[in-house]
Amino acid sequence: MGTSIEKISESSSPDCPELTTLLLGCNERLTTISGDFFRSMLRLLVLDLSFCRYLNGLPEQISRLSSL
C-alpha cells in the first residue's frame, strides 16, 4: 500500500496460489493492471484498490476470481 507503482505488468505476475488478501490501496499513480497478474491468485477473497484514482479499469481476467 502507498507505493509509487504506476503499472503492474504480466512480467510481474507472482505465483501465489494461497493468497487471500491483496492490498494495493493508496497507490495514486497506479494506472494499469495486467490481466495475467491475477493468473495464480485463485483463492483471492479481498482486493483493496481504494484511493487508486487513476486506475483505468480492471482486466477482464479478474472475473475468473470467483471468490473475490
Side-chain angles (χ1 to χ4, degrees):
M1 293 183 72
T3 68
S4 58
I5 296 171
E6 294 179 16
K7 181 177 180 180
I8 299 176
S9 64
E10 60 188 74
S11 64
S12 60
S13 179
D15 185 23
C16 304
E18 302 298 320
L19 185 71
T20 59
T21 303
L22 180 59
L23 305 175
L24 293 173
C26 298
N27 284 299
E28 293 188 8
R29 296 181 182 182
L30 183 62
T31 60
T32 308
I33 301 176
S34 165
D36 288 335
F37 178 72
F38 298 104
R39 180 179 41 223
S40 71
M41 300 180 191
L42 299 177
R43 294 188 178 187
L44 193 62
L45 299 172
V46 177
L47 175 61
D48 180 4
L49 294 170
S50 60
F51 302 105
C52 294
R53 61 179 151 185
Y54 297 110
L55 188 60
N56 292 324
L58 296 173
E60 183 179 319
Q61 292 87 337
I62 202 166
S63 65
R64 296 181 192 154
L65 305 175
S66 59
S67 298
L68 187 61

